[in-house]
Amino acid sequence: MIMMKKFIFSMSVWLAVGAMSIRANEGMWLLQLMQEQHSVDIMREQGLNLEAADLYDPEGVSLKDAVGIFGGGCTGEIISPEGLILTNHHCGYSFIQQLSSIEKDYLTEGFWAMNRREELPAPGLKFTLIRRIEDITARIQKDIREGTITETEALGDTYLKKTAKELLEASDLSEEKGIDVQALPFYAGNKYYLIYRKVYTDVRMVAAPPSSVGKFGGETDNWMWPRHTGDFSIFRIYADANGEPADYNENNTPLQTPKHLAISLKGMEEGDYAMILGFPGSTSRYLTVSEVKERMDAINTPRILIREARQQILREEMEQSDKIRIQYANKYAGSSNYWKNSIGMNKAIVDNQVLETKAEQEREFYRFAQEQNSKDYQEVVGKIDERVAATSPLLRRRTLLTETFRTGIEFGAPYSLLDQLLTAMEKGETEEIASLTTQIADAFEKVHNKDYDHEVDRRVALTLIPLYAGLVEQEYRPEFYEVIEKEYGGDMEAFINRMYDQSLFSDRERLERFLEAPSANVIENDPAFIFRRSVADALAAINEELAPLADQLALLHKTYIRGLGEMKLPAPSYPDANFTLRLTYGNVFSYKPRDGVHYRYYTTADGILEKEDPENREFQVPARLKELILERDFGPYALPDGTLPICFLTNNDITGGNSGSPVMNGNGELIGCAFDGNWESLSGDITFDPEKQRCINVDIRYILFLIDKLGGCKPLIDEMTVIY
């Protein structure tokens, strides 16, 4: 109780004073706290020309009304009064792929809607704006004090969803259409916020460059600089007659937005102020040394091994068939991105001496704990290390299991539905059997969709199932490996081929015949059912062991992060990213990755032609783009020297989820779109290195050039607010 009272006092100081001592470009800051932290004053000294209310105003219009969540894991910004959304090409990629076919290959050819009628509905795509954010810490701490919940339960989804629902029902937004709400912990549960969100469900594709532009450089250039990638796509929000969220309807009209970002073509110079507003997904800046090692060895390394093996197969298959290339384009891109990220993170942790930095922080914290005469603070790191020693082998096994059988291999049987069917058949529940057979048929269609190839997946299974067996001790493998030993003489290939050839779920007609007259014996002996149920059982066993350890670690982190915040006073501390709206501020900046190498802060179209390689799909240049570059037909988008800017660097603090975020100047005008980080800073989710960390952005002038000159969509630019 004494420590809680102490923290409540110190947190208010933490958030209110001493902001000048924090490195200006470090931190993903909560908008609603920036006034309390005096951050706006610092930003104004660096070049911001806006007031705090221009950034975040819960009762009025501000920048937060022009920036939202695009889909489920990216950021997008509204760039016209009629609901145009700008985001990355790689953020829109799954929807571009979904709408593509051999006949209409938008991945290869690009897509440019010449009028509203040509804008394509993107099924499942949502755009989410933030309505309001409220501090609910006092309410949750009251529940903990009164014993309504425990500290651990307060961090759990069940309690937080219940609390969010109750608060929404009691709020003035309860009747507003499209509103949902989240209650989330910040600072490991030392603070809690309630976030009201407005979700639009009719979002349509408007423009996307060909992948040779939007993914120029491909896997080779991913996380690298210099960069020449036109990583953008354009979508539009549609709403009902009242301007409210509505599912797709041909009568819906473009959303008339209260706020959109003006676009500046004035460019930038090195050192200019730059800020990014977006939804960074996840950082772990407050890990201990043991936890960083766990991230390297139990998560990154096994992920690298499994994904590398799968991607090699997908690459080979995609190179041989346009059909498979389109089917697996999004799957491959998603897998490759964090495969390379994991490689880069492990390397950067070593190169940037992250473990040494964390060790020094722990020593400093222990000295602080002694000064405070706090037993809890003195013991907390040691207790974390003890739990990590127990969680690391479990996490490694879980990573291997999920990467192999959840992410890697797609085929299998809906084991839980089949288990329910077995129970219903035993009880003779006719209506339940009929309902389950319908659900099972639907489950078949979800796997055997237009983006799945049975033979490609078979090849993946033939590689990954033996690979997994070589990485995991026999006692920890799913039970189907025992079936292989006993019934197939250890012949994994024979089991896999039988599963892909003879399972109920390998053939639609076979499944339909079974569903007409279900048999318990057929279910229990189906290899895909045996396979999937045993994988689920193995995962459940790991999670059961991990759960109490994770709960203990959560409470220890709450103590550790509270202590670190007190140790840093009067400097403010920022909470880890958790896919909530954050602002980062910094400058346009070049960088020196290693001795003898210095990169300037921008690239030009000349580099596109220097990298061009017609024999390499990653570096092919569309004929029309090459023609425009050679003719220097850049219009108003050129630099004073006549070259065309492509990408630029800032030292903003970003991570995954910031993809698509607007990069703005001091007037809040759009100058670029964030899309990547640099290789040398891939330890940035764990620790921020101001010398190495850079954010890679597409220059807005290149985006408008592509829309205008390559796509021929000048009317799109005419509906934007462009400052020349």
Side-chain angles (χ1 to χ4, degrees):
M1 183 62 69
I2 295 172
M3 289 300 296
M4 181 61 73
K5 286 181 179 177
K6 179 181 178 182
F7 177 73
I8 292 170
F9 168 76
S10 66
M11 177 62 83
S12 64
V13 180
W14 185 1
L15 298 178
V17 301
M20 287 299 294
S21 61
I22 195 77
R23 286 170 292 185
N25 56 328
E26 177 180 358
M28 302 171 189
W29 301 95
L30 292 161
L31 282 178
Q32 68 278 17
L33 293 177
M34 297 196 81
Q35 240 173 337
E36 297 174 55
Q37 295 167 331
H38 296 272
S39 299
V40 175
D41 296 336
I42 304 169
M43 293 161 66
R44 195 171 287 112
E45 289 178 8
Q46 288 191 223
L48 178 67
N49 299 317
L50 303 175
E51 300 299 324
D54 296 323
L55 303 176
Y56 175 76
D57 185 347
E59 305 302 330
V61 176
S62 57
L63 283 180
K64 60 103 174 156
D65 297 298
V67 181
I69 298 171
F70 181 86
C74 280
T75 301
E77 52 271 15
I78 299 172
I79 57 170
S80 89
E82 296 187 271
L84 273 186
I85 302 167
L86 171 65
T87 190
N88 288 154
H89 184 271
H90 76 260
C91 292
Y93 197 70
S94 64
F95 302 100
I96 303 167
Q97 183 264 341
Q98 182 183 85
L99 294 168
S100 292
S101 63
I102 294 291
E103 296 74 27
K104 296 180 178 179
D105 186 356
Y106 302 132
L107 290 174
T108 300
E109 303 300 328
F111 175 79
W112 309 97
M114 296 300 166
N115 53 60
R116 303 285 168 81
R117 293 187 304 278
E118 293 184 1
E119 295 177 359
L120 297 178
L125 177 56
K126 298 177 181 180
F127 192 73
T128 303
L129 290 166
I130 303 303
R131 285 285 276 108
R132 192 165 72 214
I133 304 170
E134 296 176 354
D135 188 339
I136 58 170
T137 308
R139 174 194 167 112
I140 291 178
Q141 288 177 341
K142 180 174 178 289
D143 284 350
I144 294 171
R145 284 196 308 272
E146 294 178 351
T148 305
I149 52 160
T150 65
E151 280 192 89
T152 302
E153 290 168 339
L155 294 166
D157 284 347
T158 301
Y159 168 76
L160 291 174
K161 285 179 179 177
K162 176 176 176 289
T163 300
K165 182 180 178 184
E166 290 172 356
L167 291 170
L168 174 60
E169 289 172 351
S171 80
D172 60 319
L173 298 177
S174 60
E175 301 300 319
E176 187 171 320
K177 197 171 181 182
I179 294 292
D180 76 5
V181 68
Q182 283 182 303
L184 294 172
F186 292 75
Y187 300 103
N190 288 298
K191 296 282 284 185
Y192 289 86
Y193 289 92
L194 186 71
I195 303 167
Y196 292 91
R197 314 188 303 179
K198 190 152 187 166
V199 183
Y200 292 87
T201 54
D202 184 355
V203 183
R204 306 183 193 181
M205 185 165 75
V206 176
S211 293
S212 54
V213 172
K215 286 175 65 67
F216 183 76
E219 187 179 293
T220 301
D221 273 5
N222 193 19
W223 305 107
M224 297 296 181
W225 182 263
R227 204 63 172 274
H228 300 84
T229 311
D231 196 347
F232 83 96
S233 55
I234 305 284
F235 291 76
R236 191 188 301 276
I237 308 167
Y238 279 73
D240 66 17
N242 299 313
E244 295 294 339
D247 290 340
Y248 171 76
N249 185 303
E250 62 181 13
N251 296 319
N252 288 347
T253 57
L255 177 67
Q256 304 303 299
T257 57
K259 177 70 176 177
H260 69 279
L261 299 183
I263 293 169
S264 173
L265 293 189
K266 295 180 180 179
M268 74 292 294
E269 299 290 338
E270 182 153 18
D272 281 359
Y273 175 83
M275 62 182 177
I276 293 176
L277 192 59
F279 294 81
S282 177
T283 56
S284 304
R285 295 275 171 84
Y286 302 104
L287 297 181
T288 63
V289 171
S290 62
E291 289 173 305
V292 175
K293 290 178 179 177
E294 180 179 68
R295 173 73 66 87
M296 296 174 72
D297 300 336
I299 297 176
N300 289 350
T301 297
R303 175 186 290 151
I304 293 164
L305 289 170
I306 300 299
R307 292 196 180 196
E308 198 166 63
R310 178 175 181 252
Q311 286 164 199
Q312 182 176 340
I313 294 166
L314 297 189
R315 267 197 308 271
E316 293 170 0
E317 296 287 346
M318 291 165 72
E319 287 170 359
Q320 295 172 19
S321 164
D322 282 340
K323 175 178 175 290
I324 291 171
R325 174 180 56 79
I326 293 170
Q327 285 178 309
Y328 282 85
N330 186 56
K331 296 173 187 176
Y332 183 87
S335 175
S336 173
N337 189 41
Y338 275 93
W339 162 76
K340 192 168 184 180
N341 176 279
S342 297
I343 295 170
M345 182 184 292
N346 278 5
K347 183 177 188 303
I349 286 170
V350 174
D351 292 350
N352 299 341
Q353 298 186 309
V354 172
L355 295 173
E356 291 82 353
T357 301
K358 291 289 183 183
E360 177 54 36
Q361 178 178 272
E362 290 177 19
R363 288 190 289 271
E364 184 182 352
F365 183 73
Y366 187 76
R367 289 192 292 269
F368 168 77
Q370 288 180 311
E371 292 168 4
Q372 298 297 307
N373 195 28
S374 170
K375 184 179 179 183
D376 284 347
Y377 289 171
Q378 290 179 51
E379 295 179 349
V380 68
V381 172
K383 289 180 178 179
I384 289 173
D385 293 345
E386 289 175 7
R387 298 328 184 267
V388 169
T391 59
S392 287
L394 293 169
L395 278 176
R396 178 181 178 276
R397 281 163 43 201
R398 186 170 72 178
T399 303
L400 288 168
L401 193 74
T402 55
E403 287 288 332
T404 302
F405 302 114
R406 292 291 180 90
T407 304
I409 299 169
E410 297 177 70
F411 180 65
Y415 64 91
S416 60
L417 291 175
L418 290 168
D419 275 331
Q420 293 173 50
L421 181 59
L422 286 171
T423 301
M425 289 164 60
E426 287 176 10
K427 296 180 178 179
E429 297 172 337
T430 306
E431 290 185 8
E432 181 68 5
I433 291 171
S435 173
L436 286 165
T437 55
T438 300
Q439 293 177 60
I440 290 166
D442 289 344
F444 177 92
E445 299 301 332
K446 286 179 181 177
V447 172
H448 293 264
N449 57 45
K450 78 179 189 71
D451 296 330
Y452 171 82
D453 185 278
H454 199 59
E455 294 309 310
V456 171
D457 200 65
R458 184 201 300 260
R459 273 199 68 192
V460 170
L462 285 167
T463 297
L464 295 193
I465 288 175
L467 176 61
Y468 174 89
L471 295 170
V472 176
E473 299 89 334
Q474 188 168 349
E475 63 185 298
Y476 297 126
R477 297 175 198 162
E479 194 175 339
F480 80 86
Y481 281 99
E482 291 184 24
V483 173
I484 291 173
E485 287 297 321
K486 293 176 182 177
E487 299 181 19
Y488 294 82
D491 190 339
M492 294 184 196
E493 185 174 338
F495 172 83
I496 294 165
N497 284 330
R498 180 168 180 264
M499 179 168 70
Y500 277 81
D501 289 336
Q502 298 179 29
S503 167
L504 294 170
F505 296 88
S506 62
D507 180 82
R508 182 177 284 102
E509 291 182 6
R510 185 182 293 121
L511 178 63
E512 288 172 352
R513 288 196 300 270
F514 164 79
L515 293 177
E516 290 173 1
S519 159
N521 184 59
V522 171
I523 293 173
E524 290 167 348
N525 287 284
D526 188 277
F529 173 68
I530 293 168
F531 170 68
R532 280 295 169 201
R533 185 165 66 173
S534 70
V535 168
D537 289 345
L539 182 59
I542 294 172
N543 287 337
E544 187 176 357
E545 282 191 74
L546 272 173
L549 295 168
D551 288 345
Q552 294 164 23
L553 275 168
L555 294 182
L556 291 168
H557 267 285
K558 186 175 181 179
T559 299
Y560 186 44
I561 290 174
R562 181 173 65 237
L564 285 174
E566 292 174 2
M567 182 180 77
K568 292 177 183 177
L569 287 172
S573 296
Y574 55 88
D576 268 322
N578 59 355
F579 204 49
T580 54
L581 187 61
R582 307 293 182 93
L583 185 145
T584 77
Y585 55 97
N587 307 90
V588 176
F589 228 73
S590 58
Y591 84 114
K592 179 182 176 181
R594 55 193 175 275
D595 184 52
V597 177
H598 180 269
Y599 288 124
R600 72 181 181 186
Y601 68 90
Y602 70 97
T603 58
T604 71
D606 294 340
I608 293 175
L609 300 187
E610 290 169 0
K611 287 182 176 180
E612 182 186 17
D613 181 357
E615 303 303 315
N616 184 341
R617 184 182 291 274
E618 294 185 333
F619 293 99
Q620 293 172 354
V621 180
R624 176 57 180 157
L625 177 59
K626 184 172 183 178
E627 179 184 340
L628 289 166
I629 295 172
L630 290 172
E631 292 178 355
R632 289 295 198 254
D633 186 3
F634 302 143
Y637 315 112
L639 294 167
D641 66 1
T643 58
L644 179 68
I646 305 298
C647 297
F648 67 97
L649 293 172
T650 65
N651 59 8
N652 293 86
D653 191 357
I654 57 108
T655 189
N658 273 123
S659 289
S661 293
V663 188
M664 294 169 281
N665 62 20
N667 299 321
E669 299 159 351
L670 190 65
I671 57 173
C673 187
F675 73 95
D676 209 355
N678 59 313
W679 181 253
E680 293 80 12
S681 71
L682 282 180
S683 57
D685 283 356
I686 295 170
T687 188
F688 183 84
D689 184 338
E691 298 300 320
K692 297 286 181 65
Q693 188 122 349
R694 295 294 182 269
C695 174
I696 303 175
N697 315 286
V698 193
D699 196 303
I700 194 64
R701 291 169 290 186
Y702 185 45
I703 292 172
L704 295 194
F705 162 81
L706 290 169
I707 294 170
D708 183 355
K709 299 285 188 174
L710 185 66
C713 291
K714 185 65 162 57
L716 286 180
I717 297 174
D718 292 340
E719 79 172 79
M720 303 173 194
T721 302
V722 181
I723 300 169
Y724 292 89

